[in-house]
Amino acid sequence: MTLLPITMSDQSDDSTDTGVITKTKPKTQRPPRYKVLLLNDDYTPMEFVVMVLERFFGMTHAESFEIMLVVHKKGLAVVGVYSHEIAETKVSQVMDFARRQQHPLQCTMEKEE
Ligand code: TYC
């Protein structure tokens, strides 16, 4: 190890600072979240939608029935908020399941805020 002497130039004490303080905002980045939306249609049976919400969104039967009715009456509802990857998986699971049973149920995702 080599020890170097500290010189005046290293310490930059030329006293040229103007005294202006600039605040740097600490930016803590949190990953974006995605809302998963279920859309109403005229053909998918109510019981099927309730089953979807129980199966893929971990809702109780009562919760599922309640949210299904919100979608039915309002046209759509947010059924969960997840990371991009999880939201994409939920959308695929719902769309695949509905397609297999030949129901026109639509599920989409949207970035939060
Ligand atoms: N509107 C449908 C009916 O009357 C029920 C329904 C609810 C469909 C929610 C889709 O996301 C939906 N059978």
Side-chain angles (χ1 to χ4, degrees):
M1 184 171 68
T2 315
L3 292 174
L4 298 169
I6 297 169
T7 65
M8 283 296 279
S9 60
D10 291 327
Q11 297 185 41
S12 66
D13 62 350
D14 294 319
S15 303
T16 53
D17 286 353
T18 56
V20 176
I21 297 162
T22 53
K23 265 191 190 166
T24 50
K25 205 181 197 174
K27 279 235 169 64
T28 44
Q29 292 278 62
R30 52 191 180 86
R33 310 274 291 162
Y34 293 79
K35 298 183 282 188
V36 172
L37 305 156
L38 202 60
L39 310 185
N40 188 35
D41 66 74
D42 293 338
Y43 305 103
T44 305
M46 289 184 171
E47 316 83 75
F48 182 81
V49 178
V50 170
M51 185 174 35
V52 162
L53 293 172
E54 288 174 324
R55 185 182 288 216
F56 301 118
F57 298 92
M59 297 183 195
T60 65
H61 189 78
E63 287 167 347
S64 297
F65 198 87
E66 210 174 298
I67 301 296
M68 179 279 297
L69 278 184
V70 173
V71 179
H72 176 70
K73 290 176 186 166
K74 307 242 178 193
L76 84 181
V78 174
V79 296
V81 181
Y82 307 96
S83 68
H84 189 272
E85 191 177 4
I86 301 289
E88 240 175 17
T89 302
K90 300 282 177 192
V91 169
S92 294
Q93 286 173 330
V94 173
M95 295 298 282
D96 289 351
F97 189 53
R99 198 176 307 115
R100 279 185 218 278
Q101 318 279 319
Q102 311 202 7
H103 295 311
L105 183 63
Q106 294 296 305
C107 184
T108 59
M109 60 192 272
E110 185 180 281
K111 198 174 177 187
E112 206 181 50
E113 261 88 287

Short mmCIF file of all heavy atoms in Angstrom, two decimals, residues 38-41 44 46 49 68 71-72 105, ligand 1:
data_model
loop_
_atom_site.label_atom_id
_atom_site.label_comp_id
_atom_site.label_asym_id
_atom_site.label_seq_id
_atom_site.Cartn_x
_atom_site.Cartn_y
_atom_site.Cartn_z
N LEU A 38 -62.64 -6.74 -15.16
CA LEU A 38 -63.57 -7.68 -15.74
C LEU A 38 -64.69 -6.86 -16.38
O LEU A 38 -65.18 -5.90 -15.78
CB LEU A 38 -64.12 -8.58 -14.62
CG LEU A 38 -64.68 -9.93 -15.05
CD1 LEU A 38 -63.62 -10.78 -15.75
CD2 LEU A 38 -65.23 -10.67 -13.83
N LEU A 39 -65.04 -7.23 -17.62
CA LEU A 39 -66.05 -6.46 -18.37
C LEU A 39 -67.37 -7.22 -18.45
O LEU A 39 -67.39 -8.45 -18.54
CB LEU A 39 -65.53 -6.17 -19.78
CG LEU A 39 -64.12 -5.58 -19.91
CD1 LEU A 39 -63.83 -5.25 -21.37
CD2 LEU A 39 -63.95 -4.34 -19.05
N ASN A 40 -68.44 -6.47 -18.46
CA ASN A 40 -69.76 -7.07 -18.59
C ASN A 40 -70.04 -7.47 -20.05
O ASN A 40 -69.43 -6.92 -20.98
CB ASN A 40 -70.83 -6.09 -18.13
CG ASN A 40 -72.21 -6.73 -18.05
OD1 ASN A 40 -72.33 -7.91 -17.70
ND2 ASN A 40 -73.24 -5.99 -18.39
N ASP A 41 -70.90 -8.42 -20.23
CA ASP A 41 -71.46 -8.74 -21.55
C ASP A 41 -72.84 -9.33 -21.28
O ASP A 41 -73.23 -9.54 -20.13
CB ASP A 41 -70.56 -9.74 -22.30
CG ASP A 41 -70.52 -11.09 -21.63
OD1 ASP A 41 -71.52 -11.84 -21.73
OD2 ASP A 41 -69.51 -11.42 -20.98
N THR A 44 -72.48 -14.15 -20.92
CA THR A 44 -71.81 -15.02 -19.93
C THR A 44 -72.72 -15.20 -18.71
O THR A 44 -73.19 -14.21 -18.15
CB THR A 44 -70.45 -14.40 -19.51
OG1 THR A 44 -69.67 -14.16 -20.68
CG2 THR A 44 -69.70 -15.33 -18.57
N MET A 46 -74.09 -15.56 -15.02
CA MET A 46 -73.63 -14.98 -13.75
C MET A 46 -72.85 -16.01 -12.92
O MET A 46 -71.82 -15.67 -12.33
CB MET A 46 -74.84 -14.47 -12.95
CG MET A 46 -75.46 -13.24 -13.55
SD MET A 46 -76.80 -12.63 -12.51
CE MET A 46 -77.14 -11.05 -13.30
N VAL A 49 -69.24 -16.31 -13.97
CA VAL A 49 -68.40 -15.18 -13.53
C VAL A 49 -68.06 -15.35 -12.04
O VAL A 49 -66.92 -15.11 -11.63
CB VAL A 49 -69.11 -13.82 -13.79
CG1 VAL A 49 -68.27 -12.67 -13.28
CG2 VAL A 49 -69.41 -13.66 -15.28
N MET A 68 -69.39 -9.64 -9.06
CA MET A 68 -70.06 -9.98 -10.32
C MET A 68 -71.23 -9.02 -10.58
O MET A 68 -71.42 -8.54 -11.71
CB MET A 68 -70.54 -11.44 -10.26
CG MET A 68 -71.27 -11.91 -11.51
SD MET A 68 -73.00 -11.40 -11.57
CE MET A 68 -73.66 -12.26 -10.16
N VAL A 71 -70.02 -5.63 -11.76
CA VAL A 71 -69.69 -5.66 -13.20
C VAL A 71 -70.99 -5.65 -14.03
O VAL A 71 -71.11 -4.89 -15.00
CB VAL A 71 -68.85 -6.92 -13.54
CG1 VAL A 71 -68.53 -6.95 -15.04
CG2 VAL A 71 -67.57 -6.95 -12.73
N HIS A 72 -71.93 -6.47 -13.62
CA HIS A 72 -73.21 -6.59 -14.34
C HIS A 72 -73.94 -5.24 -14.39
O HIS A 72 -74.49 -4.86 -15.43
CB HIS A 72 -74.07 -7.64 -13.64
CG HIS A 72 -75.45 -7.79 -14.21
ND1 HIS A 72 -75.67 -8.35 -15.45
CD2 HIS A 72 -76.68 -7.45 -13.72
CE1 HIS A 72 -76.98 -8.36 -15.70
NE2 HIS A 72 -77.61 -7.81 -14.67
N LEU A 105 -66.84 -13.68 -22.18
CA LEU A 105 -66.29 -12.88 -21.06
C LEU A 105 -64.94 -12.24 -21.43
O LEU A 105 -64.07 -12.91 -21.98
CB LEU A 105 -66.11 -13.79 -19.84
CG LEU A 105 -65.62 -13.13 -18.55
CD1 LEU A 105 -66.63 -12.10 -18.05
CD2 LEU A 105 -65.36 -14.19 -17.49
N1 TYC B 1 -74.48 -9.63 -17.73
C1 TYC B 1 -74.36 -11.08 -17.57
C2 TYC B 1 -75.76 -11.68 -17.54
O1 TYC B 1 -76.73 -10.99 -17.32
C3 TYC B 1 -73.60 -11.43 -16.31
C4 TYC B 1 -72.19 -10.98 -16.34
C5 TYC B 1 -71.63 -10.41 -15.19
C6 TYC B 1 -71.38 -11.16 -17.47
C7 TYC B 1 -70.30 -10.00 -15.16
C8 TYC B 1 -70.05 -10.75 -17.44
O2 TYC B 1 -68.21 -9.83 -16.28
C9 TYC B 1 -69.52 -10.19 -16.31
N2 TYC B 1 -75.82 -13.00 -17.70
#
